[in-house]
Amino acid sequence: MYNFFMDGVQFPVAPSELSTKINGRNETTVLMNEGEVNIIKKTGLTDIEFEVLLPNVKYPFSVYPSGFQPATFYLDKLKKLKNSDQPFKFIVNRMMPNGNLLFDTNMIVTLEDYEILESAENGFDVNVRIQLKQYRDYGNKKINLKAATKANSTSSSKTATKAVVEQKRPTTGKETPKTHTVKSGETLWAIAKKYLGDGSKYTELAKINNISNPNTIKAGQVIKLG
């Protein structure tokens, strides 16, 4: 079982295919007497592509954690993500039928392109082809020059300058809350990932909150986090 989330909203039908391309930035050059060599560089940004079905009727195989939503609900979400010019979290969790987590994809991305596909064969349903790109945070670095004085044997001194690079890290100063109020489209897995750092700990949240079926949480429900 696959679950796809974009900015906390779960798609009702998981795509049948997912393409994840990890781009390389290595370069080759030719050295005298050595021939062609490969210069290894840091990995480039990852590209993600998939096509998702957005039903306008509720099918038995579709999943709506907070109740049925038509295709326009998800199209509006895509439009907001594209126009916001802000990165967001993309999550795919892969689970066995018994509920055990295989592994997950959890990445900050940007919405590069999306294409709405309509066909008479799909009736009133809509297909959307989505292209995402990994986002890496960046910022200016501050360099402080510190002078250090060293004495030599002739009682004279020399001053050496040392460069110290400082990069400011964002600090929120917020404490982890004790409860969370479920929002539309959220799942227990996503809540566990957000607050506990591990989506597979949704079983712990289910036990704490006496939830027999983790897939049945509803918007407005208060979840104890510990």
Side-chain angles (χ1 to χ4, degrees), residues 16-172:
S16 59
E17 295 182 0
L18 171 67
S19 171
T20 304
K21 182 182 179 183
I22 295 86
N23 294 300
R25 297 179 60 249
N26 296 350
E27 296 180 355
T28 60
T29 189
V30 178
L31 300 179
M32 186 179 297
N33 300 327
E34 296 290 342
E36 187 178 30
V37 296
N38 191 15
I39 302 174
I40 300 176
K41 294 190 175 182
K42 187 175 181 180
T43 305
L45 301 176
T46 297
D47 292 319
I48 298 173
E49 295 185 17
F50 59 90
E51 186 173 318
V52 63
L53 171 68
L54 302 179
N56 271 310
V57 294
K58 187 175 182 179
Y59 296 117
F61 54 82
S62 56
V63 178
Y64 298 94
S66 301
F68 173 76
Q69 295 288 354
T72 52
F73 171 82
Y74 302 95
L75 293 176
D76 288 343
K77 181 65 177 180
L78 289 169
K79 184 178 180 180
K80 290 177 181 178
L81 290 174
K82 185 61 180 175
N83 293 336
S84 69
D85 296 327
Q86 294 293 326
F88 56 90
K89 184 169 288 190
F90 172 69
I91 297 174
V92 180
N93 62 53
R94 303 157 178 86
M95 305 177 72
M96 298 286 286
N98 61 4
N100 291 337
L101 180 69
L102 292 173
F103 65 98
D104 66 89
T105 298
N106 191 334
M107 189 181 299
I108 302 298
V109 300
T110 55
L111 178 57
E112 296 298 297
D113 298 288
Y114 69 97
E115 182 180 2
I116 301 173
L117 308 172
E118 297 180 80
S119 170
E121 296 179 356
N122 293 332
F124 295 104
D125 299 334
V126 177
N127 279 57
V128 182
R129 187 175 296 125
I130 297 174
Q131 296 179 348
L132 308 174
K133 185 177 287 290
Q134 180 185 13
Y135 177 83
R136 287 179 182 159
D137 198 12
Y138 60 92
N140 296 328
K141 294 182 178 180
K142 180 180 179 180
I143 299 180
N144 292 331
L145 298 178
K146 296 183 178 181
T149 302
K150 295 183 178 180
N152 57 23
S153 57
T154 60
S155 299
S156 61
S157 62
K158 293 183 179 180
T159 301
T161 303
K162 181 180 180 181
V164 179
V165 179
E166 296 181 358
Q167 186 171 12
K168 294 184 177 180
R169 297 182 180 180
T171 55
T172 60

Side-chain angles (χ1 to χ4, degrees), residues 153-211:
S153 57
T154 60
S155 299
S156 61
S157 62
K158 293 183 179 180
T159 301
T161 303
K162 181 180 180 181
V164 179
V165 179
E166 296 181 358
Q167 186 171 12
K168 294 184 177 180
R169 297 182 180 180
T171 55
T172 60
K174 295 181 179 179
E175 296 181 356
T176 302
K178 295 181 180 180
T179 61
H180 173 80
T181 302
V182 179
K183 299 177 182 178
S184 178
E186 284 189 319
T187 64
L188 203 59
W189 188 96
I191 294 171
K193 186 69 178 180
K194 179 178 180 180
Y195 293 106
L196 305 181
D198 185 353
S200 65
K201 292 184 177 181
Y202 75 96
T203 54
E204 297 180 12
L205 293 182
K207 185 176 180 180
I208 294 172
N209 292 274
N210 297 319
I211 300 174

